Amino acid sequence: MTPPILPGQPYFAYRDNALFAEDVRISELTRSHGTPLFIYSKTAMLSALASYQRGFAGRDAQICYAMKANSSLAVLQVFARAGCGFDIVSGGELERVQAAGGDLKKVIFSGVGKTRLEMRQALGAGIGCFNVESEAELDVLSEVAASLKLRAPVSIRVNPNVDPKTHPYISTGLKGSKFGIAHEDALRIYQHAASLPGLEVVGIDCHIGSQITETTPYLDAVDRMLDLVAAIEAAGIFLKHIDFGGGLGINYSADDMPPEAESLWKQLLVKIDARGYGNKKLMVEPGRSLVGNAGICVTEVLYLKPGEQKNFCVIDAAMNDLPRPAMYQAFHAIVPTQRPAEEKAGITYDVVGPVCESGDWIGCDRLLSVAAGDQLAVMSAGAYCMSMASNYNTRGRAAEILVEGAEVHVIRLRETSASTFQNEKLLP
Ligand code: LLP
């Protein structure tokens, strides 16, 4: 019986019907560490990164891992040691980069709501660039930097106004989005930035959305951005770098066919070269495409609950561990960690968690042949799962394991219930 093609293959694959992460049998990990359990493949992360590195070979390029996708310290270490910078969106993320030993000069700070405190913290740390998202933020940043007798390196996030053709909650580069500034205001705002005493204009950036599986939105965004670079430089403001953001999608299912980072960037570079900007420093901020298919979440089937209209498969992972289905109706493949030796007829289930919400589903209408006590792997769980996990229903966050070959590292201990309320105070 041929096993199905899995997202995350070959780093997550069946050997004699048992699911492995690299050279480690999943059931051995859950025996020692319990469920729900996030399991990551370091080789999968480095291989995803290598695709970008090949795409930018021979260029002055900086890959800044968008750590909001997965900010676990050991994951940051993997990318820091491989030479990546980081795209951060809070003072908290900056502290994580520091704790993981990342190069602060390669940190860029995105986000629409940076506080003065975060600005001071990032200036003190000597980060590489602030990706500023509004005119008001430019004024405040200049004031904060000038008060410290510093000049903040800035890039302005511009909305190229192209449709990334993805879920509306993760489209960001369109008019009407809270992110960035409008394309038509860019030149005026760059001139304003260049006049402020506490700023040094160093670049321009955009980010059009996430889980983009087509090449056209990128090609359009590059054109729109390069038009602006030409206009800004014609006005006498030199830009050292162009940052094209993140957004490249992954194959959650066989229907998703995103381009490889390498081929996408080779195509985009042809355009960038043709327009004469190939010698600038080029930056990207990938998140999901570096980690999404480098992780899975393994869960145990607690109960099977047949019903008149629906059958439910109740598992021990929930929307607090895997929030993407509830938030974006996202699809994650769900497969057994041990496949039956003989093909068995399956039953269609909604796979749901124990949280008291009807929205707490992980997969709808999935054909499974399972029994209580079996384990299932929720695939493509490396991005925007643990980093978005919560303690809703006072559920401790899951443990995390990073595998490399046959080596196993526990990178996060399972949270105890007590630790979920350790900062709370009883009334006198
Ligand atoms: N740069 C900026 C400025 C961003 O806002 C983001 C993601 C990225 C880079 C990285 O994008 P990526 O390469 O990962 O697509 N929670 C949602 C995704 C939210 C993305 C937010 N911004 C999800 O689970 O689909």
Side-chain angles (χ1 to χ4, degrees):
M1 193 172 88
T2 18
I5 309 236
L6 299 178
Q9 223 157 288
Y11 311 102
F12 296 97
Y14 289 104
R15 294 187 190 173
D16 293 332
N17 290 323
L19 188 63
F20 275 67
E22 302 201 24
D23 296 328
V24 183
R25 191 184 285 266
I26 299 295
S27 58
E28 274 168 26
L29 294 176
T30 54
R31 191 173 313 126
S32 317
H33 304 286
T35 53
L37 185 66
F38 282 90
I39 301 169
Y40 304 118
S41 153
K42 179 178 166 189
T43 313
M45 293 177 193
L46 292 178
S47 132
L49 175 64
S51 182
Y52 279 91
Q53 288 165 330
R54 286 191 304 273
F56 287 111
R59 305 290 178 145
D60 180 10
Q62 185 175 310
I63 300 165
C64 291
Y65 167 53
M67 61 180 281
K68 62 170 81 68
N70 187 322
S71 53
S72 299
L73 294 183
V75 172
L76 303 185
Q77 274 182 310
V78 169
F79 289 109
R81 288 176 184 172
C84 289
F86 296 93
D87 171 41
I88 65 167
V89 289
S90 69
E93 286 196 343
L94 177 57
E95 287 176 43
R96 281 185 176 271
V97 174
Q98 289 170 315
D103 182 348
L104 299 172
K105 291 189 297 301
K106 293 187 190 165
V107 167
I108 55 178
F109 193 169
S110 303
V112 294
K114 303 174 192 79
T115 64
R116 285 168 194 263
L117 189 67
E118 287 174 320
M119 289 172 178
R120 276 194 287 274
Q121 185 188 350
L123 284 165
I127 67 159
C129 188
F130 289 83
N131 286 359
V132 173
E133 305 235 12
S134 64
E135 209 167 356
E137 185 192 333
L138 280 176
D139 293 332
V140 172
L141 180 59
S142 173
E143 196 187 300
V144 171
S147 75
L148 297 170
K149 306 210 169 8
L150 292 171
R151 289 179 76 198
V154 296
S155 158
I156 298 176
R157 176 166 172 183
V158 177
N159 280 335
N161 200 25
V162 301
D163 185 354
K165 304 193 173 66
T166 183
H167 191 283
Y169 281 13
I170 51 179
S171 295
T172 50
L174 280 168
K175 273 191 187 168
S177 145
K178 75 170 177 181
F179 298 100
I181 60 159
H183 196 267
E184 48 278 19
D185 297 335
L187 182 57
R188 180 184 59 78
I189 296 180
Y190 261 94
Q191 282 166 326
H192 178 59
S195 75
L196 291 173
L199 303 184
E200 184 197 353
V201 174
V202 293
I204 186 165
D205 64 285
C206 71
H207 172 75
I208 57 176
S210 199
Q211 184 53 17
I212 302 169
T213 53
E214 292 178 35
T215 303
T216 327
Y218 278 104
L219 288 166
D220 294 347
V222 162
D223 265 333
R224 303 271 295 160
M225 291 296 284
L226 297 183
D227 290 345
L228 264 183
V229 174
I232 293 165
E233 293 203 326
I237 302 168
F238 178 68
L239 300 173
K240 287 190 210 158
H241 76 248
I242 313 176
D243 170 357
F244 295 97
L248 179 58
I250 60 169
N251 63 323
Y252 285 99
S253 81
D255 299 335
D256 301 320
M257 286 179 285
E260 282 279 319
E262 178 182 4
S263 62
L264 172 69
W265 280 98
K266 284 192 169 154
Q267 271 190 75
L268 296 177
L269 285 168
V270 170
K271 198 180 249 295
I272 296 169
D273 285 340
R275 298 203 42 186
Y277 294 106
N279 293 328
K280 285 222 185 272
K281 178 170 190 173
L282 303 173
M283 307 209 329
V284 282
E285 308 165 358
R288 186 188 327 260
S289 52
L290 294 181
V291 290
N293 271 334
I296 64 174
C297 178
V298 184
T299 168
E300 184 176 307
V301 175
L302 298 175
Y303 302 105
L304 296 177
K305 189 173 171 186
E308 228 171 76
Q309 293 188 351
K310 286 256 181 200
N311 300 308
F312 293 101
C313 169
V314 185
I315 59 175
D316 68 356
M319 64 189 288
N320 72 300
D321 306 295
L322 296 161
R324 304 191 64 258
M327 282 186 79
Y328 322 107
Q329 297 79 47
F331 175 90
H332 287 263
I334 302 175
V335 301
T337 58
Q338 181 67 52
R339 283 163 48 78
E342 304 282 314
E343 190 84 59
K344 283 196 205 148
I347 297 178
T348 302
Y349 292 100
D350 276 7
V351 180
V352 300
V355 161
C356 298
E357 298 256 0
S358 305
D360 180 27
W361 56 275
I362 307 299
C364 283
D365 296 329
R366 302 300 176 89
L367 188 64
L368 295 168
S369 124
V370 277
D374 287 356
Q375 290 181 348
L376 296 171
V378 179
M379 306 306 288
S380 314
Y384 302 112
C385 291
M386 178 53 92
S387 59
M388 290 173 62
S390 77
N391 292 127
Y392 188 37
N393 279 205
T394 306
R395 290 169 52 87
R397 284 183 183 75
E400 290 181 303
I401 305 284
L402 183 106
V403 166
E404 181 179 18
E407 253 177 62
V408 172
H409 301 280
V410 177
I411 62 164
R412 182 192 296 259
L413 299 176
R414 187 173 301 286
E415 235 170 22
T416 60
S417 306
S419 72
T420 68
F421 54 79
Q422 67 187 1
N423 290 341
E424 296 175 42
K425 298 276 177 227
L426 290 170
L427 295 174

